[in-house]
Amino acid sequence: DTSTVATVMSSKVPINRNRPYRAAAWVYQDGSHAITLKIFWWQDDRTASSTASSAIYGATPADSAWINIGGVASPPSDASYASIELSRAANPGDEGFWDDISLAEEPVSFKATGAATTSLTVKTENKIQVNTEAHDYGGNYDNSSNYRFTAPEAGTYDFEASAHMAYTGSSSYTYAVLKKNGSTDLSKAFGWPTDTSTTHDMMLHLQTGAVELAKGDYVEFYIRPEVNSSATLDNTASSLWFAGKKLS
């Protein structure tokens, strides 16, 4: 209970600048007070990197309970070391405890929802412009121009996508597909109309399972509606999404 901010900073530990990292800690406080958690990045000579730090957490957790705080950040390109700083506001007036402060590599993963364009061209493979990132650990999904995930390194990956489509007129079938490098089908899902009304709904869901990618390979989400009138995507986040992760 002093006028000085209570702060602890870890030693500098070596990191892989090409991987995202999760910083986390368990905190307990008798009263509600602000806590901040940061990752500081350091160059080979242990001077500050071009991006000196990344804010991970800055809020007031619930009091009188152990709370896990944390988040993910990607190192700047010139970082070779990292350290964690955890601090608590001055003059708290209560006791506080910290435990299990950690820094660990976070597996590459992403999930994006919604689409920039919901109208589909019939009898054509439409690349789905999934454009709102729920998260993108490693920054490997392009949600603004190419709408694709690009593998940062060779390994085993898994991808999944889902879409709800409304269309008018008759349909023989519609399919969704996840493609590698614009040509190789990794997973394909077909849907058929379930009624004879003039307006139809179709749900499409697909998953690749484990697939091998080389560094630089990319994966995109397409839908081809085999309808004779019009097709439109449901743009809600729970209905339209594209996700993937590195398994090993």
Side-chain angles (χ1 to χ4, degrees), residues 84-207:
I84 294 178
E85 181 192 81
L86 182 64
S87 63
R88 171 177 148 163
N91 299 310
D94 327 272
E95 287 188 316
F97 302 89
W98 300 333
D99 200 5
D100 290 341
I101 304 170
S102 63
L103 180 71
E105 284 189 17
E106 178 74 11
V108 168
S109 69
F110 79 97
K111 183 177 183 180
T113 65
T117 301
T118 58
S119 179
L120 301 177
T121 303
V122 301
K123 304 184 187 305
T124 299
E125 284 190 346
N126 299 260
K127 182 163 68 172
I128 309 305
Q129 299 177 6
V130 189
N131 68 340
T132 302
E133 290 183 344
H135 75 273
D136 185 9
Y137 297 152
N140 301 294
Y141 180 71
D142 178 355
N143 70 330
S144 61
S145 57
N146 290 321
Y147 307 98
R148 65 177 55 157
F149 172 87
T150 302
E153 58 188 1
T156 305
Y157 294 79
D158 182 28
F159 298 92
E160 194 170 2
S162 185
H164 174 215
M165 186 185 80
Y167 65 95
T168 58
S170 61
S171 167
S172 55
Y173 64 89
T174 288
Y175 69 78
V177 60
L178 292 172
K179 287 181 177 288
K180 181 179 78 171
N181 299 337
S183 58
T184 302
D185 293 352
L186 297 176
S187 179
K188 206 169 191 178
F190 289 83
W192 285 265
T194 58
D195 58 65
T196 58
S197 64
T198 57
T199 302
H200 309 273
D201 288 282
M202 188 178 293
M203 196 73 192
L204 297 161
H205 185 87
L206 63 167
Q207 186 170 11

Side-chain angles (χ1 to χ4, degrees), residues 210-244:
V211 293
E212 291 287 337
L213 297 182
K215 181 179 180 179
D217 283 348
Y218 60 88
V219 178
E220 300 165 313
F221 179 25
Y222 291 83
I223 294 177
R224 179 180 173 114
E226 290 290 340
V227 304
N228 63 5
S229 185
S230 65
T232 305
L233 293 171
D234 177 353
N235 208 27
T236 57
S238 58
S239 296
L240 180 59
W241 49 270
F242 178 27

Side-chain angles (χ1 to χ4, degrees), residues 9-93:
M9 180 177 279
S10 73
S11 58
K12 298 178 178 70
V13 296
I15 59 161
N16 181 340
R17 68 188 59 164
N18 299 311
R19 301 286 184 88
Y21 281 80
R22 179 177 293 277
W26 285 91
V27 299
Y28 181 100
Q29 302 186 112
D30 288 343
S32 298
H33 304 287
I35 292 282
T36 61
L37 179 64
K38 295 181 180 180
I39 302 176
F40 280 79
W41 309 108
W42 311 95
Q43 300 182 82
D44 284 335
D45 62 1
R46 303 195 180 211
T47 59
S49 291
S50 54
T51 298
S53 65
S54 298
I56 300 299
Y57 180 89
T60 302
D63 58 13
S64 301
W66 280 102
I67 305 295
N68 185 243
I69 63 173
V72 176
S74 294
S77 60
D78 59 347
S80 297
Y81 297 90
S83 56
I84 294 178
E85 181 192 81
L86 182 64
S87 63
R88 171 177 148 163
N91 299 310

